[in-house]
Amino acid sequence: MAYCSIEAARSAGCTGDDAVVAAWIEAAQEGIERYTQQLFEPTDRVVVADVSAAGLVILPRRVRSVVSVAPVLDDDGASLPSSSWRLTSSDVLGQIDALHLAWGGYDDLVAGAESYNGGWLGLWEQWGAEQVRVTGEFGYAAPPLLVGQACALLAADLQAKAQPSDADAAQDSSLQVDDEGNNVAIENNDDAPSSEPVAPSASTGSTQVDALLAPYMNRGPSLIGGI
């Protein structure tokens, strides 16, 4: 799912055939995700997060569902059953994106988590882990309207900044320019989602786009007072 349509990007000033415009939209999406530290469509991800002393795990993206929670250990065979944690999502007004580990709970059917062994907290202490690996679905259900507008504007802005001058094109024969003067040397044939973390960015490169995205910035757990 693209954050904006090809038609919207063209209306914002992006030029070229559909493949060229789609490539600039993809580049804009990457810039938006790097800047906001959010995903604006349901996306399967594996994230690693710290566990607080109280068993609270603040997740770094809006979470939709979780299929696996495991301590980060040298031996990746361990995992926590769903009865040992509770999930909350910022998709619900007033909630945060977090796992709440049931430190006060136990399960006499799970080795190491029995009531007489200290329950889930006792099992966690046996593992000695400080982080969990969470596998699930993250992101918004669909791109909000302002994000779509920001994507279209950023696609056009990135293309305009990358467009070589006639002098640049003459000096560098490797630049591929179409009849409209657009740099079309953008290729991405890998359809698989990237597993690499996206480093945060101080700006998208456009103050107008930054302003549109301001309501969607993921500032992390620093906004959660008292936790």
Side-chain angles (χ1 to χ4, degrees):
M1 177 193 301
Y3 289 177
C4 72
S5 66
I6 287 176
E7 291 74 17
R10 282 205 174 99
S11 296
C14 212
T15 60
D17 61 24
D18 286 358
V20 170
V21 176
W24 286 115
I25 289 173
E26 183 176 352
Q29 289 183 193
E30 292 176 358
I32 287 171
E33 290 171 8
R34 186 177 299 109
Y35 178 62
T36 62
Q37 292 293 285
Q38 285 283 17
L39 300 165
F40 294 101
E41 61 181 349
T43 307
D44 291 335
R45 278 288 185 273
V46 177
V47 304
V48 172
D50 295 335
V51 180
S52 75
L56 180 67
V57 181
I58 303 296
L59 298 173
R61 300 288 185 274
R62 173 171 289 198
V63 62
R64 307 188 59 78
S65 62
V66 169
V67 297
S68 173
V69 178
V72 177
L73 301 169
D74 292 336
D75 178 8
D76 292 335
S79 64
L80 290 168
S82 58
S83 59
S84 68
W85 49 266
R86 176 174 60 89
L87 179 69
T88 58
S89 171
S90 61
D91 201 33
V92 177
L93 185 63
Q95 294 283 16
I96 61 173
D97 296 300
L99 284 172
H100 307 259
L101 303 181
W103 279 171
Y106 63 90
D107 189 335
D108 287 336
L109 299 178
V110 177
E114 301 92 346
S115 55
Y116 52 83
N117 264 339
W120 297 117
L121 177 57
L123 178 60
W124 187 266
E125 289 176 341
Q126 290 179 39
W127 283 331
E130 297 180 350
Q131 295 181 311
V132 289
R133 180 180 294 104
V134 181
T135 303
E137 186 179 63
F138 296 81
Y140 282 62
L145 177 61
L146 290 181
V147 173
Q149 293 176 343
C151 184
L153 289 169
L154 185 56
D157 184 69
L158 291 172
Q159 184 185 43
K161 289 176 178 176
Q163 183 173 317
S165 67
D166 292 340
D168 290 336
Q171 293 174 9
D172 187 352
S173 60
S174 68
L175 291 173
Q176 300 177 26
V177 183
D178 64 16
D179 293 338
E180 296 177 342
N182 300 310
N183 180 11
V184 295
I186 301 175
E187 296 181 4
N188 186 352
N189 297 321
D190 184 7
D191 294 329
S194 172
S195 60
E196 294 297 320
V198 178
S201 173
S203 171
T204 61
S206 165
T207 55
Q208 183 181 12
V209 171
D210 290 353
L212 288 173
L213 295 175
Y216 304 101
M217 297 293 291
N218 181 0
R219 310 267 181 198
S222 60
L223 288 182
I224 306 170
I227 296 179

